């Protein structure tokens, strides 16, 4: 089954199945010139424009009743500069293809998220991230980008060229223009040793600061209704390469993490009362393991169980308190939560609307399996996250608006002023952007 969003009868749906839109037309440009022409034509016809990647966002950030731009013909590497150690890639390139192509060239991104189905522009525009003590989101690794603005002109930006656009457009939410190419910093490919092991919730929360400080990339999953977590530490290694054996990898990553987990979700949906018992079994299904491989094979994993997700970035020093409040809420509420809670970190960065803008951050993600009512759980979780000045992931479910963002993003006004300049007629507006950025 494709992991991309689907379009049937002119209706576009996202990957999570919780957003649908009926665009007036779809355009699949084969060049930047064709894309620019489509934007100009939309302006003549009085239509809004949105570019959509694989639809991995759970918000309606890409939904439009105007012109939907599909970037799948704008793919591939444009240029590799080994002196500057950068690679320039077309905006519609899936992260999976980029990672594999870089590996063939003996190169790698420094850090990445755990899913690689998204396009590079969709992933960066929404602030997709992994976990890292010193290395930030995918957008934090951008050294330059090219975008088509509302009047159909092509704008290049970097720290030296149009720096004020560069500061914002790396995570531009699709509000400043359509990104057509991205230049990433890369480095010679390296090895990571992953150490995955169960740990109790109490231990991981009491030792969180040490675990964060001792590891380049630390994350964990907590299984609600249990005192159990699965931890993952990724650190650079001198080798040798020691990948997960194929059969073991299939059993753990496909059979247990996807197959058995999918069955557990079905059972939980049919009989919610069984969820706490299933959670206890699930939390013990994956045993400890250590393996060493190239970065994308360690950072990323397949996600075949469809879900809906909310994720908030809180100040890193507030993460343990926030998690304990979340646990107390679940215990007292009678909610039955079958999906683990994911916890990751990122260092402060200088991108205007990055969830880690100006502050060291920790991410807490809550999920529900596709088709399950998630509102009660997400609403209660969001109340806790916002009490800690949380910033929601731009591509995941949340109910915040421009007034809230003006309070948690010190540079929010910088972004909206730039948008006024680049898109005064709101060519790239939709309902989501109206809510989060203001009219």
């Amino acid at each position: 089954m494709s992991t991309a969003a689907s379009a049937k009868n002119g209706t576009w749906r996202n990957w999570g199945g919780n957003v649908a839109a009926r665009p007036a037309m779809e355009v699949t440009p084969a060049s930047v010139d064709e894309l620019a022409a489509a934007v100009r034509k939309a302006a003549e016809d009085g239509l809004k424009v949105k570019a959509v990647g694989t639809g991995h966002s759970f918000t309606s950030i890409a939904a439009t009743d105007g012109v939907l731009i599909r970037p799948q013909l704008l793919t591939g590497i444009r240029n590799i500069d080994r002196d500057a150690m950068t690679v320039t890639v077309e905006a519609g390139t899936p992260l999976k293809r980029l990672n594999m192509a870089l590996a063939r060239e003996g190169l790698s991104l420094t850090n990445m998220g755990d899913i690689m189905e998204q396009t590079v522009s969709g992933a960066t525009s929404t602030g997709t991230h992994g976990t890292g003590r010193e290395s930030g989101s995918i957008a934090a690794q951008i050294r330059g980008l090219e975008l088509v603005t509302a009047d159909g002109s092509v704008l290049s930006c970097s720290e030296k060229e149009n720096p004020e656009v560069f500061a914002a457009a790396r995570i531009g939410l699709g509000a400043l223009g359509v990104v057509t190419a991205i230049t990433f910093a890369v480095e010679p490919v390296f090895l990571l040793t992953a150490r995955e092991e169960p740990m109790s919730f109490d231990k991981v929360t009491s030792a969180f600061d040490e675990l964060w400080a001792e590891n380049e990339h630390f994350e964990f999953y907590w299984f609600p209704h249990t005192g159990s977590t699965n931890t993952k530490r990724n650190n650079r290694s001198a080798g040798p390469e020691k990948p997960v054996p194929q059969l073991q990898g299939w059993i753990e990553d496909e059979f247990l993490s996807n197959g058995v987990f999918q069955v557990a979700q079905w059972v939980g949906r049919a009989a919610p009362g069984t969820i706490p018992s299933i959670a206890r079994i699930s939390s013990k299904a994956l045993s400890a393991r250590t393996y060493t491989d190239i970065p994308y094979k360690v950072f990323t994993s397949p996600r075949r169980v469809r879900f809906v997700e909310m994720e908030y970035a809180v100040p890193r020093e507030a993460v343990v308190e926030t998690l304990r409040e979340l646990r107390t809420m679940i215990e007292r509420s009678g909610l039955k939560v079958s999906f683990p809670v994911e916890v990751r970190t990122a260092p402060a960065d200088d991108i205007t609307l990055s969830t880690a803008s100006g502050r060291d951050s920790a991410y807490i993600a809550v999920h529900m399996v596709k088709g399950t009512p998630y509102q009660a759980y997400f609403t209660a979780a969001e109340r806790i996250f916002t009490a800690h000045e949380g910033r929601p992931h731009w591509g995941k479910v949340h109910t915040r608006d421009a007034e809230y963002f003006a309070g948690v993003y010190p540079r929010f006004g910088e972004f909206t002023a730039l948008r006024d300049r680049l898109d005064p007629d709101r060519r790239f507006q939709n309902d989501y952007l109206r809510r989060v950025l203001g009219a």
Side-chain angles (χ1 to χ4, degrees):
M1 181 190 282
S2 160
T3 47
S6 60
K8 284 187 190 133
N9 320 321
T11 300
W12 171 84
R13 286 183 199 285
N14 69 336
W15 181 86
N18 65 318
V19 177
R22 288 186 71 92
M25 64 185 297
E26 287 192 18
V27 179
T28 310
S31 68
V32 176
D33 288 344
E34 280 184 24
L35 197 157
V39 171
R40 286 193 294 269
K41 173 87 168 68
E44 287 166 23
D45 297 341
L47 293 170
K48 304 288 187 194
V49 178
K50 291 305 320 166
V52 65
T54 50
H56 259 268
S57 288
F58 301 98
T59 59
S60 52
I61 192 165
T64 186
D65 56 4
V67 178
L68 192 68
I69 291 180
R70 298 268 194 175
Q72 61 255 42
L73 299 181
L74 297 172
T75 60
I77 291 177
R78 270 193 200 178
N79 178 46
I80 294 175
D81 183 336
R82 289 184 188 270
D83 294 329
M85 286 305 278
T86 60
V87 59
T88 301
V89 61
E90 303 274 352
T93 309
L95 285 166
K96 186 173 192 170
R97 276 186 58 188
L98 173 62
N99 287 332
M100 291 167 86
L102 287 176
R104 282 196 298 272
E105 296 284 345
L107 301 169
S108 177
L109 293 171
T110 299
N111 198 354
M112 52 194 83
D114 59 2
I115 298 177
M116 52 177 183
E117 311 302 335
Q118 311 103 309
T119 60
V120 292
S121 56
T124 54
S125 294
T126 53
T128 297
H129 60 91
T131 189
R133 186 183 57 206
E134 280 109 22
S135 53
S137 68
I138 305 176
Q141 298 167 71
I142 294 177
R143 294 296 172 264
L145 52 82
E146 174 187 271
L147 74 161
V148 171
T149 55
D151 61 4
S153 57
V154 182
L155 194 67
S156 294
C157 54
S158 64
E159 280 181 353
K160 294 189 175 71
E161 198 178 3
N162 297 304
E164 74 296 344
V165 179
F166 182 66
R170 284 171 284 169
I171 299 180
L173 318 183
L176 305 174
V178 179
V179 176
T180 48
I182 300 176
T183 300
F184 290 105
V186 290
E187 58 177 304
V189 73
F190 53 94
L191 291 173
L192 284 172
T193 292
R195 184 173 150 206
E196 299 173 8
E197 64 177 340
M199 195 179 286
S200 74
F201 180 91
D202 291 335
K203 186 178 175 188
V204 84
T205 49
S206 60
F208 182 81
D209 289 339
E210 294 93 282
L211 289 162
W212 170 83
E214 286 164 8
N215 296 284
E216 289 176 69
H217 308 275
F218 174 68
E219 65 185 301
F220 68 92
Y221 293 86
W222 164 57
F223 294 81
H225 313 296
T226 79
S228 308
T229 77
N230 270 338
T231 62
K232 185 169 179 176
R233 298 168 233 204
N234 298 331
N235 289 288
R236 289 187 188 228
S237 163
E241 215 166 302
K242 192 169 172 277
V244 178
Q246 206 168 355
L247 178 63
Q248 184 191 344
W250 181 84
I251 289 170
E252 292 169 347
D253 297 325
E254 287 294 346
F255 181 67
L256 292 174
S257 294
N258 283 299
V260 172
F261 188 54
Q262 176 74 74
V263 172
Q265 297 301 319
W266 287 333
V267 173
R269 267 179 76 181
T274 62
I275 285 173
S277 310
I278 292 171
R280 284 190 288 277
I281 297 164
S282 297
S283 70
K284 293 181 172 50
L286 295 170
S287 51
R289 64 178 184 175
T290 302
Y291 54 96
T292 302
D293 215 328
I294 61 172
Y296 84 84
K297 294 185 178 178
V298 174
F299 284 130
T300 68
S301 49
R303 290 276 185 275
R304 309 212 194 283
V305 180
R306 303 242 172 173
F307 53 82
V308 178
E309 180 178 0
M310 168 182 279
E311 181 182 59
Y312 267 74
V314 297
R316 203 187 69 235
E317 61 274 13
V319 65
V320 170
E321 189 188 339
T322 309
L323 268 171
R324 286 174 178 154
E325 288 171 15
L326 187 68
R327 179 176 68 168
T328 302
M329 178 276 288
I330 292 172
E331 282 169 0
R332 289 180 180 165
S333 66
L335 288 166
K336 299 286 186 279
V337 180
S338 61
F339 233 96
V341 172
E342 184 180 23
V343 181
R344 297 177 287 175
T345 68
D349 63 40
D350 63 350
I351 305 170
T352 318
L353 290 188
S354 164
T355 44
S357 185
R359 75 182 188 195
D360 291 339
S361 300
Y363 295 92
I364 303 176
V366 297
H367 312 69
M368 279 294 218
V369 72
K370 179 182 171 181
T372 317
Y374 59 82
Q375 284 82 358
Y377 176 35
F378 284 13
T379 300
E382 191 172 41
R383 202 171 291 135
I384 293 166
F385 299 149
T386 54
H388 291 280
E389 296 196 341
R391 297 169 177 169
H393 187 302
W394 296 107
K396 297 177 185 175
V397 176
H398 68 88
T399 65
R400 302 297 89 191
D401 60 14
E403 187 184 357
Y404 179 84
F405 291 122
V408 295
Y409 283 101
R411 297 166 63 193
F412 187 74
E414 253 178 69
F415 190 96
T416 53
L418 181 65
R419 181 186 183 218
D420 288 341
R421 196 184 98 206
L422 292 179
D423 187 15
D425 300 326
R426 300 292 186 260
R427 184 64 45 222
F428 303 114
Q429 174 115 295
N430 62 6
D431 290 343
Y432 179 76
L433 292 182
R434 193 177 289 113
R435 168 162 71 92
V436 301
L437 296 177

